[in-house]
Amino acid sequence: MTDRYAVFGHPIRHSKSPLIHATFARHSGQDLVYEAILAPLDGFAECVSQFRIDGGKGANITVPFKEQAFSLCTQRTPRAEQAGAVNTFKFENNAVLGDNTDGAGLVADLTRNLGFTLEGRHILLLGAGGAARGVIGPLLECAPARLVIANRTASRARDLAAHFHQPGDLSVTGCGLEEVDTPFDLIINATSASLAGELPVLASQAFKPEALAYDMMYGKELTPFLRLAQQHGARIVDGLGMLVEQAAEAFYLWRGVRPETQPVIAALRDAR
Ligand code: NDP
């Protein structure tokens, strides 16, 4: 019988995950179907439960359910525990294993696809929501010199920095967006400002010469953040590569097969 997978979100129509996983399955000869399911805002748990009863083997979870997904798991990977958010379920017998592949996806895109070395770098992470939570642990594992989390609501950034702070480690700090006044090698926009066509407050001195500016959002047009970064001479990249790489991590968890990501990223870029 063909194995069933799905992505749950609200909204969900925009999701590229069904196309990405169908392409992975075709390229790697895996027999599966993958659908997009619109979960009601007050009915996520019921929706997931019905999918399991119907034989679902695993799922991805997107906005706004990643924190609820965390609480539905019977087991979690260390990186999901650390993030406090789950974007991937694997269903096995009565167990629900929760994982978070966002950080691994971002790091894979930065290091493998873009050739960017994270070790020893000064990194600014804008935002303190679900996406930011998922990437902090994997970024820190790459031993940057410094990671500053800056958020519109400064207290959320400080709380997040405290959550990831190791005793004796001064490399993670949190602050308000307007407090950023030093230059960085890598600036990651993990706010949802781009979704609304808005620009997070950001001082021009944040961009080192030849900095890399990475917006987790992806689309046809440059986001206001990427336009600003371009004006400051930064190399600019959107989050399409991260999207495909986090999907590949989920596919590996489910199927034990690592799909090729480069052709899928290239096809999605061509299709825009
Ligand atoms: P959340 O709703 O959890 O968090 C939103 C964050 O954005 C908060 O820190 C919020 O600040 C901040 N924010 C919202 N509006 C503004 C604004 N106008 N100016 C400054 N800051 C603002 O969202 P997620 O973390 O889940 O998602 C963030 C983005 O990442 C989305 O665009 C999403 O599409 C993208 N994403 C991309 C992925 C990929 O694979 N490419 C994977 C996951 C997410 P405050 O705390 O003050 O409210």
Side-chain angles (χ1 to χ4, degrees):
M1 207 170 92
T2 302
D3 289 339
R4 286 183 68 199
Y5 297 87
V7 56
F8 292 88
H10 190 122
I12 200 61
R13 224 167 20 149
H14 67 286
S15 176
K16 296 195 188 308
S17 293
L19 175 62
I20 293 170
H21 283 282
T23 311
F24 286 165
R26 205 171 55 249
H27 289 178
S28 60
Q30 295 286 308
D31 184 19
L32 61 87
V33 290
Y34 186 109
E35 60 199 290
I37 297 180
L38 178 73
L41 288 174
D42 59 355
F44 171 65
E46 294 75 10
C47 217
V48 172
S49 166
Q50 190 57 52
F51 183 68
R52 285 182 66 196
I53 291 166
D54 294 345
K57 296 277 185 197
N60 289 126
I61 303 94
T62 186
V63 180
F65 299 122
K66 289 184 188 179
E67 281 163 59
Q68 259 191 75
F70 181 88
S71 62
L72 292 182
C73 301
T74 57
Q75 298 162 29
R76 299 181 200 100
T77 60
R79 61 190 180 184
E81 278 303 340
Q82 195 180 40
V86 156
N87 78 339
T88 305
F89 286 143
K90 182 178 180 180
F91 306 130
E92 256 174 350
N93 306 320
N94 287 328
V96 179
L97 174 68
D99 194 5
N100 190 315
T101 65
D102 280 340
L106 173 68
V107 168
D109 195 34
L110 287 167
T111 58
R112 279 211 304 269
N113 300 338
L114 303 169
F116 188 88
T117 304
L118 290 160
E119 188 179 350
R121 298 302 187 97
H122 293 246
I123 304 175
L124 175 62
L125 179 65
L126 306 175
R133 288 191 81 92
V135 303
I136 294 168
L139 284 173
L140 289 175
E141 279 168 23
C142 297
R146 187 162 71 116
L147 176 66
V148 176
I149 305 162
N151 193 45
R152 181 174 61 182
T153 311
S155 58
R156 289 188 75 198
R158 290 197 190 99
D159 290 350
L160 206 48
H163 176 75
F164 282 93
H165 184 78
Q166 307 284 326
D169 168 16
L170 298 176
S171 65
V172 196
T173 52
C175 65
L177 292 171
E178 62 294 334
E179 293 171 65
V180 173
D181 59 0
T182 54
F184 291 86
D185 301 297
L186 170 63
I187 304 178
I188 301 165
N189 184 15
T191 73
S192 52
S194 301
L195 283 173
E198 291 169 6
L199 179 67
V201 174
L202 186 58
S204 55
Q205 61 263 39
F207 296 93
K208 265 193 188 175
E210 295 171 25
L212 175 65
Y214 193 104
D215 200 324
M216 286 195 188
M217 163 98 177
Y218 45 85
K220 270 201 194 89
E221 313 290 336
L222 285 188
T223 63
F225 167 73
L226 290 183
R227 276 203 299 274
L228 177 79
Q230 197 173 45
Q231 284 160 20
H232 289 289
R235 178 182 173 199
I236 57 168
V237 185
D238 72 13
L240 190 67
M242 173 179 171
L243 178 76
V244 175
E245 295 294 346
Q246 63 77 27
E249 280 286 317
F251 195 89
Y252 179 69
L253 178 79
W254 296 329
R255 312 297 300 182
V257 173
R258 250 184 217 290
E260 262 199 88
T261 51
Q262 292 287 349
V264 182
I265 296 171
L268 286 172
R269 289 217 188 277
D270 286 350
R272 301 203 283 215

